[in-house]
């Protein structure tokens, strides 16, 4: 774990990983700007931190969209804003709620 640059922290929290990348790791993505408020949630751009790659074929930037669909359902979508892709034409009708109305929390 530590040889890969991970942090090791045993925990008794259910389903929490003991091995993880800390915030200052060269791997992963970081916030590429401000969180943008949308009609039903948020949109944020993420940029790859460095040229190091764990899996290869990394995309940067990546857009994360979070949509509060119902009090019990959250939808998130990660996509490459520079490359169009096929998406199943499935329309999910939802009333849309605010973060305060949801039965879950997003940080």
């Amino acid at each position: 774990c530590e040889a890969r640059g991970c942090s090791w922290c045993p925990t008794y929290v259910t389903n929490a990983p003991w091995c993880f990348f800390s915030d200052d790791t060269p791997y992963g993505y970081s916030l590429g700007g401000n969180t943008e408020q949308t009609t039903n949630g948020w949109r944020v751009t993420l940029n790859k931190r460095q040229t190091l790659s764990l899996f290869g074929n990394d995309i940067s930037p990546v857009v994360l969209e979070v949509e509060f669909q119902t009090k019990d359902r959250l939808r998130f979508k990660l996509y490459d804003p520079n490359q169009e892709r096929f998406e199943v034409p499935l329309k999910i009708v939802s009333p849309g709620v605010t973060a305060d109305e949801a039965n879950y929390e997003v940080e």
Side-chain angles (χ1 to χ4, degrees):
C1 179
E2 291 173 347
R4 288 182 45 205
C6 297
S7 295
W8 176 263
C9 182
T11 179
Y12 296 103
V13 176
T14 305
N15 296 323
W18 288 22
C19 182
F20 58 92
F21 290 115
S22 61
D23 290 341
D24 61 352
T25 182
Y27 299 108
Y29 292 79
S30 60
L31 194 61
N34 295 328
T35 301
E36 177 186 339
Q37 192 87 24
T38 63
T39 305
N40 294 325
W42 308 320
R43 179 181 301 115
V44 64
T45 299
L46 305 172
N47 293 316
K48 189 161 176 358
R49 285 195 175 138
Q50 291 187 13
T51 57
L52 297 175
S53 177
L54 287 173
F55 307 106
N57 297 326
D58 298 325
I59 297 168
S60 187
V62 173
V63 173
L64 168 64
E65 289 184 0
V66 177
E67 185 177 310
F68 301 94
Q69 291 191 337
T70 71
K71 289 185 177 205
D72 297 308
R73 185 176 70 217
L74 173 79
R75 175 181 185 246
F76 70 92
K77 177 181 173 182
L78 286 164
Y79 63 92
D80 180 350
N82 300 315
Q83 183 71 35
E84 192 171 337
R85 67 178 185 161
F86 173 79
E87 292 189 27
V88 177
L90 177 64
K91 181 73 175 162
I92 299 175
V93 179
S94 65
V97 296
T98 66
D100 294 334
E101 297 170 315
N103 292 328
Y104 48 84
E105 293 180 26
V106 178
E107 294 182 25

